[in-house]
Amino acid sequence: MAEEKLTPRSENYSEWYNQVVLRADLADYAPVRGCMVVKPYGWALWENMQKELDRRFKETGHVNAAFPMLIPKSFFEKEKEHVEGFAPELAVVTIGGGQELDEPLVIRPTSETVIGYMYSKWIKSYRDLPVLINQWANVVRWEMRTKLFLRTLEFYWQEGHTAHSSAEEAQEETIRMLNVYADFAIKEAAVPVIRGVKSETEKFAGAVNTYSIEAMMGDTKALQAGTSHNLGQNFAKAFDIKYLDQNNTQQYCWTTSWGLSTRFIGAIIMTHGDDNGLILPPRLAPYQIVIVPIYKNDTERSSVMEAVEKVQKQLTQFRVKLDDRTEVTPGFKYNEWELKGVPLRLEIGPKDVEKGSVMAARRDMPGKASKSFMLQENLAPQVQTMLETIQASMLQRATDFRDSNIHEANSYDELKDIIQNGWAESWWCGSAECEAKIKEETKATTRCMPFDQPQVKKEKCVYCGAEAVKKIYFSKAY
RNA sequence: CGGGGUGUAGCGCAGUUGGUAGCGCACCGCGUUUGGGACGCGGGGGUCCGCGGUUCGAGUCCGCGCACCCCGACCA
């Protein structure tokens, strides 16, 4: 399995990423180009992410449902911007049961259309609002260039779709869910994210406004890690989602949609991973703890395993893996579990049996510094504290890394320099032309306009020098 | 869709002037090992990407396909 060292990140970041995904057993390539198989270890991580997200959705009043994967092609023509945005990447079914279909069916790339259609049937009165539904689903987008987790033809995600009786309420919902994503990213994944508004060109096809959480990866490129869209009345008008208000007048609904996908697994990998492999945040890791027993002979083995059993019994509240394989050495196991990113390793050998100790090695620190002794007695609280420490220090390290790679660009030359290895924070006039020029000339795109904007006082656009309206981040992105 | 690259054992690769396929790792068995990627001995595993051609003979030469990977334009 893990027979060689990984390609170091500094040598080839992309190669490092691919190797980590494959060798940590998160995923594998599928027979169809651009498709992937999420393997049990990767899916276990996704399940933990789902659990934390789903809990937050429920807490904010949402319920889950399931909508069909096949959508009539004509649905995509009802919203002008939506069709323009998605037409090039639709997978279309034209034959069913051996017969050419009267109307081709699109495999959903996202479900605003079919859900909008259903909402128009379900919503009659202001009393029916708001409708707050989420679905966990897979979707298909025929991407040109794919990469494991970050961009595959098929991916797994959740998509929330809500309908409201006022613009204000829809806007509140849009921001509420963006905040849910940010809270999840920071608290559970230890991925520090910046919340903000997307530019006109970067927004979702058919939205009035798109908000995103943006994360910085280990190579300083940006990753859009989750999005929340205020759809205004665009889809309501396209799909005739109307209700009677208190005054017996027909009104169009105001809708939102928001999504976070398995792409976020890529964010976790690239935010925390090092040259030894994955580093998973304790709150999401499939295994929080791996126990490696060490012994030389049967006598040692029985006393060590007895101690291991006692330790295990104390740790039932955690996700624990006992690696009792006999065919590989402890050293091999250390490397393998480090590759797989398990946050805490407990080694138990003859010396520990003697001293009533366990050797604890934290994954987020290198070499000798990672190791410390714990007492077997009353182990659970020690482990609990350690896991919390690891979680906190991972967030701190990622935040420090991000902040030290964001720089203010006061001129276009500075911007060009900064985006070679970081994010540039600049004043921008708001014009799509400047944005396009910068993208063309530097490969850097606008990420988002952060919420906490400084006061504009006669600032100049970093590109054209005209009067600036917003501070915005520019960077290379995935 | 443009540019580049690669298709030979599960993975990574070698294969000479064309002569009937090999190495490392992984895998299986036995034994010795086990506190930072153990070792010895034995073993199993191949439509050489596909189709067609040249030839007594093709992994190797020629033609046509196909697939995948990497880099661009597009995107979560």
Side-chain angles (χ1 to χ4, degrees), chain A residues 86-104:
Chain A
F86 280 100
E89 52 189 56
L90 295 181
V92 184
V93 177
T94 57
I95 296 173
Q99 300 276 321
E100 182 99 8
L101 300 174
D102 291 338
E103 181 179 355

Side-chain angles (χ1 to χ4, degrees), chain A residues 344 362 372 374 381-390:
Chain A
L344 184 61
R362 36 192 294 200
S372 64
M374 287 184 183
Q382 302 173 66
V383 164
Q384 178 67 42
T385 305
M386 178 61 88
L387 291 176
E388 282 167 12
T389 304
I390 293 170

Side-chain angles (χ1 to χ4, degrees), chain A residues 368-425:
Chain A
K368 280 249 165 68
S370 69
K371 294 205 176 188
S372 64
F373 280 105
M374 287 184 183
L375 291 175
Q376 284 178 33
E377 200 174 320
N378 208 22
L379 187 60
Q382 302 173 66
V383 164
Q384 178 67 42
T385 305
M386 178 61 88
L387 291 176
E388 282 167 12
T389 304
I390 293 170
Q391 182 86 26
S393 79
M394 285 175 70
L395 177 61
Q396 189 58 53
R397 192 174 69 155
T399 307
D400 291 346
F401 178 82
R402 179 196 68 188
D403 291 346
S404 65
N405 286 296
I406 298 178
H407 304 287
E408 176 118 12
N410 293 308
S411 70
Y412 189 44
D413 281 341
E414 276 182 30
L415 183 145
K416 282 192 278 195
D417 192 47
I418 290 165
I419 54 103
Q420 293 311 312
N421 197 26
W423 295 7
E425 188 182 356

Side-chain angles (χ1 to χ4, degrees), chain A residues 295-306 324 326:
Chain A
Y295 47 79
K296 286 191 174 54
N297 50 51
D298 281 353
T299 322
E300 284 185 1
R301 184 189 141 82
S302 63
S303 62
V304 164
M305 291 313 286
E306 199 181 312
D324 56 1
T326 52

